[in-house]
Amino acid sequence: MKKLILAALLGAVSMGAGWLPASAQTAQQEETVTIPAPQLRIDAPTRRHYMDEADFGAFKGGYELSNGQVLVLKRVGTRMYAEVGEMGLHQIVAVSPNTFVALDQKLKVRIDIDRRGDVGGELLMVVPGSSVAGGAPEQLLRVAFR
C-alpha cells in the first residue's frame, strides 16, 4: 500500500514538474519588454559655454580616431573649427567645458583629458549617403578616440 501511495505522489510531482516549465515559459514571454535604442542625433547648440583662447588651447591639435581618421581642432581669429580628414572645416562652439558642436550640426565632439594627459572621448559626425540615385540618406557615425 505504501508503494502505491508513493508511486501516486511521484506521478503527481512529475506531472507538476512537466507543467511548471511551460507555465514559467508563458509568463516569461508575456513579460518581455522591448526597449528601443536611443536615437543618435546632433542638436543645434542652444546654450554656449564661454571658452577663451587659453581654455581652447588645451584642446587644439590633432586626435587620432578609432576609424583611422584624424580630427583636428583649431582656432582662426576668434572662431573655433573642427575638421575630420579632408571633409572640410566646420565652425564649432563649446557647449560644455569639454564638448563642442558644429553650427551646421554635422559633428559633435567630446574630449576627455585626464590628469595624466591621456585623451579619450568620442565624435559624432554626419557622413554622406551613397551618391548613386536612390542611395542611402546621410547617416550619423559614432567614432571613439584611440
Side-chain angles (χ1 to χ4, degrees):
M1 184 71 155
K2 290 181 184 178
K3 288 184 181 180
L4 186 58
I5 294 173
L6 183 60
L9 286 173
L10 287 175
V13 169
S14 68
M15 282 180 46
W19 175 78
L20 282 176
S23 171
Q25 186 178 18
T26 303
Q28 213 174 28
Q29 289 173 349
E30 291 173 6
E31 293 176 15
T32 302
V33 177
T34 303
I35 300 173
Q39 189 175 24
L40 294 176
R41 64 182 191 192
I42 300 172
D43 294 322
T46 54
R47 291 181 13 192
R48 296 184 185 187
H49 174 80
Y50 175 75
M51 185 172 284
D52 63 21
E53 193 168 338
D55 294 334
F56 185 68
F59 298 103
K60 284 192 326 188
Y63 300 90
E64 190 174 341
L65 302 172
S66 61
N67 66 356
Q69 292 181 304
V70 175
L71 165 69
V72 176
L73 297 183
K74 60 183 165 183
R75 189 174 197 115
V76 178
T78 59
R79 295 182 179 174
M80 300 176 290
Y81 293 92
E83 183 173 27
V84 178
E86 301 291 323
M87 298 177 138
L89 289 175
H90 299 272
Q91 185 179 352
I92 58 173
V93 294
V95 294
S96 78
N98 67 335
T99 304
F100 305 89
V101 174
L103 293 177
D104 63 4
Q105 295 176 256
K106 297 290 184 184
L107 61 85
K108 178 179 182 178
V109 62
R110 187 193 81 242
I111 301 173
D112 303 317
I113 304 173
D114 67 16
R115 292 180 184 192
R116 296 186 318 224
D118 294 333
V119 177
E122 73 176 1
L123 168 73
L124 292 176
M125 68 178 176
V126 175
V127 293
S130 172
S131 59
V132 179
E138 292 182 329
Q139 297 178 356
L140 194 58
L141 177 66
R142 176 183 277 167
V143 184
F145 284 44
R146 255 193 194 169

